[in-house]
Amino acid sequence: MSGPLSVPAQSTTDAPTGGVELSGVTKYYGEATAVDQLSLSIRPGEFLSLLGPSGCGKTTTLRMIAGFEHPDAGDIRLSGRSVLGLPPHKREVNTVFQAYALFPHMTVAENVAYGLQQRKVPKAEQRERVAEALDMVQLRRFADRKPTQLSGGQQQRIALSRALINRPSVLLLDEPLAALDRQLREEMQLELKLLQSRLGTTFVFVTHDQSEALSMSDRIAVMRAGRIEQLAAPADIYAEPASAYVASFIGQQNFLHGTVVGAGAVDTFAGTVHGRWGGAQGQAGSAAVAAIRPEFVRLAPAGGDGAGLDGTVLGVSHLGETLQVAVDVGREQTFLVRIPAPGAPSVAVGDAVRCTWDSIDVRIFAADGMPETATHVIALPREAA
């Protein structure tokens, strides 16, 4: 099942430059299926993120687009042209990796010019394009320095300018910000998005970090077991997840497990919880989970009426503009509540409170869509809270 497919490269003359089309792409590693009949259309000029946990197939998908791996089935088209069998250097793509792979013995300018030198571009044109590329990332003044004399963020920008200097139709980015500290990573997220918007180049970005995907992407493809679980704009993925898997991976959730008892109703230990279905509606008697995001949970005095759970405050965290409260609601579960700090109620560890919510903010999913390990789920055992 290994080895590259080889078919004549056909061109679709009216296809816009920078589009990427994957049709039924499958990749095996021995008996393991890394990518499973994946189909995806990436629009020219968009910033699309492949998001998912380790082993979901996102990096393998990127490497197949780049030409470093070859699919065992399916087709990949760049700007309307099938690239099956084409080596990486003959595809109109460049890749930026987590490891910047800068040559330490070369200056910044020499690193950026390397691709042009390999293509035998005239030296006068090389100098002009290197200057433009360094201006693009605001680092021309460092042209004569060695990479070891630069910060991690500066090295990442050099790697970006080197990848973009050949003017690829598509730029592939494989977790390029993972090695940076949090503040620098957030700064680079903004810079990357502004750069992509200015250039109009198609960016395909691989990450396991939901905040990166949400902050930069035009669309996000959430991957699971080699397939796409949901493809949508960040706001839609966050507000309307298609499954419990997506709901748990994007943002944080309070989950209540139970049984379907009617249209938009689940019987849980908190009573009957009403909400809207995300994905296909389950049959009466089937297992389901009700999901409520922490920002939609309110705190009230214990013993009140309406949808909610009584509990005891376990911890209070001040997160700048937000107050985060962890509440033990029984059954070895902890609810997370996030409230805007201005006007937030005064609560302390040990206080008896009630967590309440509105049914319009509850999403219901089939329980079989829950991930085996959901690191972003907040209905955790008490000792893990």
Side-chain angles (χ1 to χ4, degrees), residues 237-367:
I237 290 247
Y238 189 86
E240 301 293 342
S243 67
Y245 174 85
V246 176
S248 67
F249 199 81
I250 300 291
Q252 292 179 305
Q253 295 277 5
N254 297 298
F255 282 116
L256 291 169
H257 291 256
T259 303
V260 177
V261 292
V266 178
D267 183 27
T268 75
F269 82 91
T272 301
V273 176
H274 296 272
R276 292 193 294 116
W277 275 91
Q281 180 170 328
Q283 299 293 319
S286 63
V289 290
I292 313 158
R293 292 205 181 274
E295 60 266 34
F296 296 138
V297 181
R298 299 182 301 274
L299 289 181
D305 296 327
L309 279 168
D310 288 334
T312 304
V313 174
L314 289 175
V316 180
S317 303
H318 294 271
L319 307 178
E321 72 280 4
T322 303
L323 187 72
Q324 179 172 283
V325 183
V327 180
D328 177 4
V329 294
R331 301 289 184 93
E332 296 189 340
Q333 289 192 344
T334 300
F335 250 50
L336 194 68
V337 184
R338 289 200 183 122
I339 310 167
S346 177
V347 291
V349 173
D351 284 355
V353 295
R354 184 171 180 80
C355 299
T356 68
W357 56 82
D358 296 324
S359 59
I360 194 173
D361 296 320
V362 178
R363 297 293 176 269
I364 301 172
F365 304 99

Side-chain angles (χ1 to χ4, degrees), residues 89-362:
H89 68 277
K90 291 189 176 181
R91 304 187 184 198
E92 295 181 356
V93 303
N94 267 347
T95 307
V96 178
F97 299 100
Q98 180 179 336
Y100 312 137
L102 300 176
F103 299 111
H105 63 285
M106 293 183 180
T107 66
V108 165
E110 290 168 343
N111 267 280
V112 174
Y114 182 78
L116 300 179
Q117 293 171 356
Q118 297 304 301
R119 297 189 177 196
K120 311 296 185 186
V121 174
K123 289 188 176 181
E125 184 180 347
Q126 285 186 37
R127 288 193 294 270
E128 180 180 344
R129 288 174 63 175
V130 166
E132 290 176 355
L134 291 176
D135 282 341
M136 182 173 58
V137 294
Q138 301 176 356
L139 287 177
R140 192 200 280 210
R141 66 186 183 278
F142 298 105
D144 295 326
R145 293 191 186 184
K146 298 291 179 63
T148 54
Q149 297 174 299
L150 304 179
S151 68
Q154 290 168 337
Q155 290 183 45
Q156 183 58 272
R157 295 207 292 271
I158 295 303
L160 274 171
S161 62
R162 183 178 63 181
L164 289 167
I165 197 168
N166 285 324
R167 298 166 184 166
S169 299
V170 181
L171 185 67
L172 309 174
L173 304 104
D174 187 9
E175 306 209 46
L177 309 182
L180 304 179
D181 61 51
R182 179 178 178 180
Q183 182 176 350
L184 188 53
R185 189 164 63 246
E186 292 175 350
E187 292 173 0
M188 283 300 300
Q189 289 172 18
L190 177 59
E191 288 190 26
L192 261 181
K193 182 56 182 174
L194 292 175
L195 178 63
Q196 189 270 339
S197 299
R198 188 164 69 248
L199 295 175
T201 303
T202 305
F203 276 27
V204 183
F205 187 92
V206 161
T207 183
H208 65 274
D209 187 323
Q210 55 168 305
S211 64
E212 288 184 357
L214 289 169
S215 66
M216 293 188 290
S217 310
D218 296 316
R219 290 190 300 161
I220 299 172
V222 180
M223 294 190 64
R224 180 186 193 185
R227 295 191 175 190
I228 293 175
E229 188 88 355
Q230 185 173 4
L231 174 64
D236 295 329
I237 290 247
Y238 189 86
E240 301 293 342
S243 67
Y245 174 85
V246 176
S248 67
F249 199 81
I250 300 291
Q252 292 179 305
Q253 295 277 5
N254 297 298
F255 282 116
L256 291 169
H257 291 256
T259 303
V260 177
V261 292
V266 178
D267 183 27
T268 75
F269 82 91
T272 301
V273 176
H274 296 272
R276 292 193 294 116
W277 275 91
Q281 180 170 328
Q283 299 293 319
S286 63
V289 290
I292 313 158
R293 292 205 181 274
E295 60 266 34
F296 296 138
V297 181
R298 299 182 301 274
L299 289 181
D305 296 327
L309 279 168
D310 288 334
T312 304
V313 174
L314 289 175
V316 180
S317 303
H318 294 271
L319 307 178
E321 72 280 4
T322 303
L323 187 72
Q324 179 172 283
V325 183
V327 180
D328 177 4
V329 294
R331 301 289 184 93
E332 296 189 340
Q333 289 192 344
T334 300
F335 250 50
L336 194 68
V337 184
R338 289 200 183 122
I339 310 167
S346 177
V347 291
V349 173
D351 284 355
V353 295
R354 184 171 180 80
C355 299
T356 68
W357 56 82
D358 296 324
S359 59
I360 194 173
D361 296 320
V362 178

